[in-house]
Structures are given as structure tokens and as C-alpha cells.
Amino acid sequence: MKDKSRNEDFGFTLLEVMVSLAIIAIALMAVLGSQSQGSSLANESKFDTTAALLAQSKMAEMEVRALNDLGSSSGDFGEDFPGYAWEVSVQGLALEELSMVSEKVKQIDVTVSLSNDPRRQFRLRVYRYFPAET
């Protein structure tokens, strides 16, 4: 004869299954969130590194030019770096105390940006003095 006070069903209750699914869902959300954040940080780091090198390269081009060859311009880096664009701005520097020298000091700004994301920009500025020609 069977004892009716013992329950011989060895399955899970609906409540136990729902609690375990909730725990698994929370754990998966945390893992996916950290994966997404890691991917975003990797993309940002790639842009920062590439943009800094491209800006330095463009600035080196500007530093070897003569005073008469300097001018504001813009463009892209072609097929080697698709999506990256540059802009160069050249301005005279206003120095009231040194009015003679200010004509020969130029502020050169290079901006490298990602064309599909205008929030991602890298700026580099240099001041260049052009001595009098002898």
C-alpha cells in the first residue's frame, strides 16, 4: 500500500522554473552589456589611435611648407583610410606686444574626423614661426 503523505513527483514547480529563468536572463543581460561596452571602447580606441597618427601626418606636411604655400584646406585620406576626413585651418596670430613678429607666426589647426560620426573628432594645433629670409 502507498503512503499518500509522500509526494513522489520529482519535477520542478512552475515557480522554480520562472525564478531560474529570471536569474539566467539577468546574467545574460550583464554579459551582453559588457560585451557591447567592450566593443564600443575598442572602436573608440581605434579611432583615437588612427586619428592621432593621421593628424600628425597631415601636420608634418604643413610644417614643411613655406609661408606662401600655407592655406586652409580640407579633404579625405583616400582608400587607405576610408571614412576619415581632414581639415586644415591656418590663421595669423594676434600678438599686440610683438607686432613685428606676429606676421610671421601662424596658428595651424588640423582636425581629423570620422565622416559617418561628426562627434568623433581629433584636433591638433601648432604655432609656427617663419624667420625672415636672408
Side-chain angles (χ1 to χ4, degrees), residues 47 51 54 75-78 81-86 111-122:
F47 170 77
L54 292 174
D76 62 16
F77 291 98
F81 296 96
Y84 287 88
W86 58 269
T111 303
V112 174
S113 60
L114 205 54
S115 59
N116 60 1
D117 189 359
R119 295 173 295 164
R120 289 197 175 176
Q121 292 185 342
F122 183 86

Side-chain angles (χ1 to χ4, degrees), residues 33-64:
S34 65
Q35 179 70 20
S36 173
Q37 185 179 14
S39 175
S40 175
L41 288 174
N43 286 338
E44 188 174 326
S45 176
K46 179 184 173 187
F47 170 77
D48 289 343
T49 303
T50 304
L53 291 172
L54 292 174
Q56 186 177 18
S57 170
K58 186 54 70 176
M59 186 62 77
E61 288 178 25
M62 300 305 291
E63 288 179 345
V64 297

Side-chain angles (χ1 to χ4, degrees), residues 66-68 104 129-134:
L67 177 61
N68 297 337
K104 301 205 184 270
Y129 173 71
F130 294 89
E133 294 181 21
T134 56

Side-chain angles (χ1 to χ4, degrees), residues 98-109:
L98 304 171
S99 60
M100 291 178 15
V101 179
S102 66
E103 296 173 3
K104 301 205 184 270
V105 177
K106 298 292 181 185
Q107 173 184 317
I108 304 170
D109 293 312

Side-chain angles (χ1 to χ4, degrees), residues 21-22 28 32 36 49 73-74 101 110 112 124 132:
L21 284 176
L28 283 177
L32 292 176
S36 173
T49 303
S73 58
S74 63
V101 179
V110 174
V112 174
L124 185 61

